[in-house]
Amino acid sequence: MLSLSEKNNQIASDLYKKYEVKQGLRDENGKGVVAGLTTISTVYPEKVVNGEVVPGVGELRYRGIAIDELVDGFVLEERFGFEETAYLLLFGELPTEKELAEFQQLISSNRTLPTNFVRDVVMKASSADIMNSLSRSVLTLASYDECADDVSLENVLNQSLMLISVFPLLAIYAYHAYNHYNKEESMYIHLPKLEDNLSTAETLLMMLRPDRQYTKQEAQTLDMALILHMEHGGGNNSTFTTRVVTSSGTDTYSTIAAALGSLKGPKHGGANIKVTQMMADLKANITDYSDEAAVHQYLEDLLDKKAFDKKGLIYGMGHAIYSDNDPRAAIFKRYVSKLAEEKGEEARAEYELYTLIERLAPEIIGSKRKMFKGVSANIDFFSGFVYNLLGLPEELYTPIFAIARIVGWSAHRMEELINSKKIIRPAYQEVTEDREYTKMSDR
């Protein structure tokens, strides 16, 4: 039966050109098909000044503000930025000092789950797949909400703020349950305390670690990772999923569960895990990280399908939109460097290996592949390394992404509810020849 399914579902590649269908809803240079309008964020493959393209400068803007300017704003004043950025994306304006304090308190006070929820839901049927555990918890929370199906803006906003608040708990507790029941390790359930007034990054590290301890640099680096993963234009797969499902009129819990299913995919939120696995394979084959010739050969072997998973890819390199520069990676790299410095000699050596690959890979890819645009390191290239330095288990890499991106999903869900009057329903061109029904006796 499988062979029949494969045979009868094949579509000749030339038909996509014939009918001018853009696979993946984007053209050869990565530019996506425009499917809607948004005020929330914008991704530019390059910067344009006075009509001229500035080479090597991609842009990401949150509510019209360049991400580097936004980051510099709270970094210079030595603030954590997750809550401030979340406020901006959700409400469209930067908060005043008073508004930010109230919003931080609102998020903190919402970091609580229904009575016995951790025991009865999170700890039951524990699994290494924390993303599936997250989806299950989100859908179960609907059973505790008397207004689960109410899609009024006020109710959806309240639901969104609650989910943004509890996502760290759902992910960390799900991991601890898995670590205990499946790996027979000790289990720690640390409850966030409102009076501690912790940022989201601090809360994550506190709940994860047995001793609840973390350094300021660790918290700042994780805070930056969350901010840079929080939103990335309406066209990324999970956000588009959010808008498609929202347009059907369904509830918040079903919508976010669908977005989680999208983000889980290795081509989307799971990409940083592939980088980590690739780097582990590289380190198993190369003992001297400073041996540029050996690293160069390994990267060539990756593209020639001779190394790692033999897929012909250097993971963490290139992006669907950006060409010569992913602005998120450029910002994040500064924090990677500082964290590696704090962690010691081994971490610094590994950081140098990453920067060597960052320099070599675009040149090697350009020599071996037909390129329609430039290629550079994306944020996934560094995030797995950072999570490893922070002691985050691999099972939490994609859930950390979800803890950040639910802010963007919530903002897009609100925007879709406010502006959309129609269910999103694209068309597919049929390429099957008509045929007559065959009677059973004649088959």
Side-chain angles (χ1 to χ4, degrees):
M1 288 189 288
L2 178 60
S3 61
L4 278 175
S5 180
E6 290 178 333
K7 171 188 172 184
N8 292 316
N9 283 291
Q10 291 287 342
I11 298 175
S13 58
D14 61 332
L15 291 177
Y16 289 94
K17 286 192 174 182
K18 176 181 178 180
Y19 292 105
E20 298 181 345
V21 174
K22 295 184 178 182
Q23 289 184 280
L25 294 181
R26 39 186 189 166
D27 56 26
E28 290 181 330
N29 68 7
K31 187 176 181 180
V33 173
V34 177
L37 303 174
T38 184
T39 64
I40 296 166
S41 79
T42 312
V43 180
Y44 292 103
E46 65 266 323
K47 186 174 183 176
V48 179
V49 178
N50 297 325
E52 297 291 328
V53 174
V54 180
V57 183
E59 279 197 315
L60 170 62
R61 292 180 172 270
Y62 286 178
R63 293 288 187 175
I65 302 173
I67 189 67
D68 52 344
E69 292 182 22
L70 177 65
V71 166
D72 287 344
F74 55 77
V75 168
L76 289 174
E77 297 184 10
E78 298 185 345
R79 298 193 307 273
F80 289 105
F82 178 86
E83 288 74 19
E84 183 173 339
T85 308
Y87 187 101
L88 170 66
L89 288 176
L90 289 169
F91 304 112
E93 300 286 348
L94 288 168
T96 63
E97 187 174 354
K98 180 175 182 291
E99 289 168 340
L100 179 58
E102 291 174 346
F103 185 70
Q104 289 170 326
Q105 185 174 41
L106 176 62
I107 296 297
S108 294
S109 63
N110 267 331
R111 285 196 182 117
T112 181
L113 292 164
T115 303
N116 297 328
F117 189 91
V118 176
R119 183 196 69 188
D120 296 341
V121 180
V122 178
M123 291 186 181
K124 293 290 176 69
S126 58
S127 166
D129 195 329
I130 309 302
M131 289 296 285
N132 279 353
S133 296
L134 262 175
S135 297
R136 183 183 65 186
S137 292
V138 167
L139 289 172
T140 306
L141 281 171
S143 302
Y144 294 80
D145 186 348
E146 294 180 357
C147 303
D149 291 316
D150 180 357
V151 294
S152 66
L153 295 179
E154 181 181 7
N155 189 60
V156 169
L157 177 59
N158 288 333
Q159 290 171 332
S160 299
L161 291 171
M162 181 273 291
L163 289 173
I164 290 168
S165 302
V166 303
F167 254 44
L169 282 68
L170 298 176
I172 299 298
Y173 293 166
Y175 170 74
H176 282 312
Y178 157 73
N179 197 40
H180 175 64
Y181 291 113
N182 297 66
K183 299 176 72 175
E184 299 182 348
E185 300 288 345
S186 297
M187 180 165 57
Y188 305 89
I189 302 296
H190 298 321
L191 299 176
K193 298 177 181 178
L194 178 60
E195 60 269 22
D196 291 339
N197 196 30
L198 299 181
S199 69
T200 297
E202 292 174 301
T203 299
L204 281 165
L205 293 172
M206 180 277 292
M207 289 194 301
L208 180 65
R209 295 178 173 176
D211 63 2
R212 305 186 186 207
Q213 301 302 305
Y214 53 86
T215 68
K216 183 177 181 180
Q217 185 62 58
E218 288 178 322
Q220 286 178 329
T221 304
L222 182 55
D223 181 63
M224 191 57 59
L226 294 171
I227 292 161
L228 296 174
H229 282 93
M230 191 180 289
E231 168 58 9
H232 207 230
N236 70 81
N237 196 279
S238 58
T239 300
F240 187 58
T241 297
T242 299
R243 300 197 74 131
V244 170
V245 178
T246 295
S247 76
S248 75
T250 195
D251 66 280
T252 298
Y253 302 95
S254 297
T255 302
I256 299 304
L260 284 165
S262 164
L263 188 68
K264 177 186 170 184
K267 295 180 181 179
H268 191 4
N272 52 27
I273 295 176
K274 297 296 289 186
V275 176
T276 303
Q277 294 169 344
M278 176 188 74
M279 293 300 292
D281 183 73
L282 182 152
K283 289 184 285 184
N285 288 279
I286 299 174
T287 55
D288 183 1
Y289 295 172
S290 63
D291 187 342
E292 185 168 326
V295 174
H296 193 287
Q297 185 58 57
Y298 180 85
L299 296 177
E300 286 196 358
D301 289 344
L302 282 174
L303 292 178
D304 292 337
K305 301 183 179 181
K306 296 178 181 177
F308 184 43
D309 59 3
K310 298 177 174 58
K311 295 289 182 66
L313 298 171
I314 301 177
Y315 292 99
M317 289 293 149
H319 190 272
I321 301 297
Y322 302 119
S323 54
D324 298 325
N325 173 267
D326 181 340
R328 302 170 303 168
I331 293 170
F332 200 38
K333 188 178 178 181
R334 301 200 300 263
Y335 289 82
V336 179
S337 174
K338 291 178 183 177
L339 185 62
E341 189 67 30
E342 179 180 273
K343 293 295 182 180
E345 185 176 346
E346 185 177 342
R348 289 195 298 270
E350 190 167 353
Y351 172 72
E352 293 301 325
L353 174 61
Y354 272 79
T355 58
L356 175 60
I357 293 170
E358 181 189 22
R359 175 168 59 84
L360 293 177
E363 169 193 327
I364 297 170
I365 294 170
S367 68
K368 286 181 169 287
R369 295 284 190 270
K370 182 179 180 181
M371 303 296 294
F372 294 97
K373 61 185 180 71
V375 63
S376 62
N378 58 49
I379 192 171
D380 292 318
F381 182 67
F382 291 107
S383 60
F385 175 48
V386 164
Y387 296 162
N388 184 51
L389 290 181
L390 291 173
L392 299 176
E394 194 172 283
E395 292 88 352
L396 280 174
Y397 285 12
T398 309
I400 292 294
F401 196 160
I403 289 167
R405 188 55 63 88
I406 188 177
V407 176
W409 294 338
S410 298
H412 280 277
R413 174 163 168 76
M414 294 287 290
E415 190 176 61
E416 186 70 25
L417 286 170
I418 292 168
N419 295 284
S420 177
K421 308 303 178 189
K422 295 183 178 181
I423 187 171
I424 296 174
R425 190 187 185 283
Y428 272 69
Q429 173 70 47
E430 185 194 22
V431 291
T432 304
E433 293 183 2
D434 292 344
R435 53 183 178 164
E436 300 294 326
Y437 176 79
T438 305
K439 294 188 296 184
M440 179 68 75
S441 58
D442 294 335
R443 294 175 199 170

